[in-house]
């Protein structure tokens, strides 16, 4: 199987408790770890069901090692439940 080519644009879905997890917190970590994203990618999709909300962001990973630190930082956010 061929290695993925970089930069690579991928979705990141973050699910958490609606009262605690805010899109601005996730967006801030994306910009901190990956830098400014492409026009339009700073927007996210949100879906709320009961006590939980999910945010989907599209991000551009510059290299293979860029995703892990971002996901580790997101996992530490208040209200975080899981990521896809």
């Amino acid at each position: 199987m061929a290695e993925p080519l970089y930069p690579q644009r991928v979705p990141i879905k973050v699910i958490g408790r609606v009262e605690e997890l805010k899109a601005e917190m996730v967006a801030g970590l994306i910009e901190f770890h990956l830098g400014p994203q492409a026009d339009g990618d700073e927007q996210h999709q949100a879906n709320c069901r009961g006590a939980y909300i999910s945010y989907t962001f599209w991000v551009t990973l510059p290299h293979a090692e860029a995703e892990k630190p971002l996901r580790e930082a997101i996992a530490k956010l208040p209200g975080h439940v899981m990521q896809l």
Side-chain angles (χ1 to χ4, degrees), residues 6 8 16 22-23 26-27 31 33 40 46 49 51 56 64 66-67 69 72 79 81:
Y6 289 91
Q8 187 176 55
K22 304 299 178 198
V26 178
E31 185 167 352
H33 285 274
R49 297 254 171 127
T56 303
E67 187 172 8
E72 289 173 347
V81 174

Side-chain angles (χ1 to χ4, degrees), residues 5-83:
L5 299 176
Y6 289 91
Q8 187 176 55
R9 187 173 178 259
V10 298
I12 292 183
K13 181 177 249 184
V14 182
I15 302 166
R17 291 182 292 279
V18 71
E19 295 88 17
E20 299 176 71
L21 186 66
K22 304 299 178 198
E24 298 79 25
M25 297 165 21
V26 178
L29 287 176
I30 290 169
E31 185 167 352
F32 178 79
H33 285 274
L34 302 178
Q37 297 297 291
D39 288 341
D41 283 352
E42 68 275 353
Q43 301 297 318
H44 65 277
Q45 293 180 324
N47 189 358
C48 187
R49 297 254 171 127
Y52 297 95
I53 191 159
S54 70
Y55 299 109
T56 303
F57 288 86
W58 281 89
V59 300
T60 300
L61 302 173
H63 51 78
E65 295 79 32
E67 187 172 8
K68 184 178 179 184
L70 172 61
R71 288 193 178 272
E72 289 173 347
I74 291 171
K76 295 176 184 174
L77 288 174
H80 172 269
V81 174
M82 69 182 304
Q83 301 176 54

